[in-house]
Amino acid sequence: MKLGFSKGEEDFRAECASWLNAQMAGEFADIKGVNTLTAKAERRKEWEQQLAAHKWSCIGWPEEWGGRNASLAEQVIFAEEYARAGVPGRVNHIGIELAGPTILAFGTEEQKQRFLPGIAAGQTIFCQGFSEPNAGSDLASVRTKARLEGDKWVVNGQKIWTSLAHISDWIFVVSRSEEGSKGPKGLTFLMMPLDQPGIDVRGIKQINGDAEFNETFFTDATCPADSLIGAVGGGWQIAMGLLAFERGVSTLGQQMGFRNELDEIIAAAKANGSANDPLIRQRIGKAEIGLRLMRYGALRMLSNTDHSKIDGAALTYKIQWATWRRNLGELAMDVLGQMGEVTDNPEYEWGMLPNLFLFSRSDTIYGGTNQIQRNMIAERALGLPREPRGDV
Amino acid sequence: MQFSFTEEQVMIAETAKAFFAENATSERTRKAMANDGVDRDLWVSFCTELGLSGVGIDEALGGAGLGMVEFAIIAEAAGAQVAALPLLGLATAARAIAAGGSDAQKADWLPKLISGEAIAACEGVPMLDFDGSTLSGVIDPVPHGTVADVFVFVSPQGAWLVRADAPGVAVHAHTTMDLTRPLARVTLDKAAAEPLANAGAAIAAIHQGGWICLAAEALGGAQACLDRTVAYAKERIQFGRPIGSFQAYKHRLADMMIEIEQARSAVYWAACAADEGADDAAMALHAAKSFCADTYFMCAGNMIQLHGGIGFTWEHDAHLFFKRARSIQTMLGNGNMHREAVATMVLGEAA
């Protein structure tokens, strides 16, 4: 058991920090500190390409596909330095963290050639078409239909909560390809171009006034017959394999974003005197401890190289960070007091902390609600009997 | 960076777990509870046969070398059985002597403490009166005060060794809620005391060892509460179903696991940071002690609730965990104290 980094790794850290800080002080100074997911989308696409031009876009990928084959420690370091430098979140997070690794793991050679270079280069932005109005927590009940007609798939139906679909190029869609099938059987995983007449993307205005999420409608939308990953009817396995990538190294970068938020709260508490309130001090102490434990939990999870069994500890991570961050939003508002509930921005756009308070209500819902997380932990990690399935 | 056990650490964990599971049985613990709270045969076999009592103490001083990670592994395994053993004294008093004692003090006590021939206890108080050769004051409560052969007492004025059989030492046994680690009042009336040469180092060793020991015990105990309740949830049938199939029940078990996994990160972060002398080691100790104690109490409370009536009985082991958890919450600084220490690190002192 060892927590320290080697000299070589510390040198790598310095290299990352130096390059990222130079970018944020120079050519890309205008996007430094942007904290909503939709702001300055075009500039952030250019930023994706800048990362790629310097081989920083997907360092954990194999070198032949544009990565650096970086070690776990190096990926951890890059993710931490990325957030520390105040660089905004990746608009192609889904391409780099989910679509790419899924294609690498399950795609054909031809599909790798077709998609990976574009993703690595920051030219192909992906979004995720999983949830539907009637398939949220119960993802396996998706109804969006796909049928094979000659040399193409024809897709009809609706997806919802498709983050960043309005600025994306491609969407991966879990669709029902077997007429009359139920649950996880009969599903197919398709990669579809968004820019076509059969696909209509409409923004959903959220609690914080932003519109990161969308509804995406498919009306005789098409994609070539060889656009499926895995087998016809084997889409559920691919979707589940993809979700496993979600708990990767990017969690550490996400945590550095949380670090910035907690630092902002600490600064606000010092500035307005609430740092002298013993109850606020307890809560800030607790938040600090929670954040540190998240980091060491992630390092523990990533250091575990035995992937032969379900890692129960890893299943606890989503609910842990989501709940911590929602509490952080409430702490922020208690520190700010009433001034947290006003802004002089006429557009209903909020600063970091009020936005954290509002946005974090979604953290305990998307990607599996806290209640679904508890079911998963209880059933998969603790081996308790499964929830019976209804028939309505 | 590799935040997982080495092969050697996995082996120590398996050995320690098997040893305590086999020997620190409920029956033996209850026998000790009816006496002075220490299973002496178990302690001697832990010290001699298992040979892990010197872990975390320098080999040159008769210890087994290794570090706080290995010590935490052992304390976790002991905590899982609520073993009635004076392990905390090894973590605090013995380490204080090793870190701050003179060569003679180390030679006098460490071999005996590591072999189990002598038992040590340790406690700190705000004020003790030392006149150059004798110590006076009241120290209350002292864990394992009645069974100790030697005490390490600390106050802001220093750190001292006091033999339990020295004239002027009076020990009053309390009836203690947690009978697996009984507390006593020690009154010193001009009792012969030797100052430890380096009190600062001794106190730092006590904090490090004591907080890690309690946090690791709490982790082991919390995991045992979860494991035993999960087993019960699968076998107990009500309304024609195993009770573990109800969400109101299984979600509480999931919540226990969520806390326990964080507690595990906390213990091994603290132990590893202590061994490596990392910058965040001080924060890690406060985090581990407060977080693990609260996790243990939450899990032990849930264990009683989720067992229903049987969990409230003396016959069931739930109360052993529950009382140990409560005691760990307060011992060596309560959660508010440790969280305030963390708050001070990030906010500065309150005005």
Side-chain angles (χ1 to χ4, degrees), chain A residues 131 161 275 348 385:
Chain A
S131 294
W161 318 126
Y348 206 84

Side-chain angles (χ1 to χ4, degrees), chain A residues 101-303:
Chain A
T102 302
I103 295 164
L104 269 170
F106 306 109
T108 64
E109 192 55 32
E110 191 276 325
Q111 287 169 333
K112 290 179 194 170
Q113 302 278 2
R114 179 153 42 122
F115 288 107
L116 295 180
I119 297 174
Q123 305 281 1
T124 313
I125 311 288
F126 261 91
C127 66
Q128 168 173 299
F130 275 17
S131 294
E132 296 180 6
N134 289 307
S137 292
D138 183 12
L139 180 63
S141 66
V142 294
R143 293 178 189 175
T144 293
K145 285 197 172 70
R147 60 176 196 277
L148 196 54
E149 279 188 10
D151 61 355
K152 62 187 187 216
W153 288 96
V154 179
V155 176
N156 282 282
Q158 181 193 349
K159 294 291 176 182
I160 196 166
W161 318 126
T162 38
S163 292
L164 301 180
H166 56 297
I167 60 166
S168 296
D169 307 298
W170 285 77
I171 183 169
F172 47 83
V173 178
V174 177
S175 61
R176 194 159 293 285
S177 56
E178 191 184 319
E179 191 85 36
S181 64
K182 272 191 168 179
K185 290 183 186 130
L187 300 175
T188 295
F189 189 100
L190 296 174
M191 314 281 260
M192 305 188 75
L194 276 159
D195 185 15
Q196 58 170 300
I199 295 185
D200 182 20
V201 176
R202 299 180 203 161
I204 301 173
K205 192 171 175 180
Q206 300 153 196
I207 196 170
N208 59 347
D210 195 13
E212 168 206 342
F213 297 125
N214 299 277
E215 302 175 279
T216 305
F217 296 90
F218 300 79
T219 313
D220 289 334
T222 61
C223 60
D226 61 356
S227 302
L228 79 168
I229 305 286
V232 175
W236 184 252
Q237 288 70 26
I238 305 298
M240 291 300 105
L242 176 143
L243 289 178
F245 295 122
E246 209 160 21
R247 293 190 286 266
V249 173
S250 63
T251 54
L252 284 152
Q254 182 196 30
Q255 288 177 21
M256 292 304 291
F258 300 166
R259 173 80 264 168
N260 294 340
E261 290 166 348
L262 178 52
D263 284 345
E264 192 85 3
I265 292 174
I266 289 167
K270 282 181 176 171
N272 73 7
S274 56
N276 295 318
D277 176 340
L279 296 180
I280 292 288
R281 294 175 71 80
Q282 283 291 309
R283 288 167 67 191
I284 288 177
K286 202 172 171 187
E288 180 71 39
I289 292 169
L291 181 59
R292 302 283 180 137
L293 297 188
M294 226 181 275
R295 175 168 195 266
Y296 290 104
L299 292 180
R300 212 153 57 78
M301 194 162 78
L302 294 166
S303 297

Side-chain angles (χ1 to χ4, degrees), chain A residues 1-4 270 276 281-282 288 296-297 300 303 312-313 319-320 371 374-375 379 382-383 385 387, chain B residues 1-4 6 9 234 247 250-251 255 258 261 264-265 269 276 280 336 339-340 343-344 348 351:
Chain A
M1 191 166 261
K2 182 171 171 293
L3 280 173
K270 282 181 176 171
N276 295 318
R281 294 175 71 80
Q282 283 291 309
E288 180 71 39
Y296 290 104
R300 212 153 57 78
S303 297
I319 187 171
Q320 180 195 338
Q371 289 67 36
R374 289 189 180 97
N375 275 1
E379 293 170 10
L382 299 175
E387 227 20 58
Chain B
M1 193 278 300
Q2 183 63 38
F3 197 30
S4 54
T6 61
Q9 289 163 343
K234 290 176 182 171
Q247 287 193 352
K250 66 163 72 148
H251 282 191
D255 285 338
I258 294 160
E261 288 306 324
R264 194 178 309 286
S265 301
W269 166 34
E276 292 176 16
D280 60 359
N336 289 346
R339 281 185 292 272
E340 172 57 36
T344 302

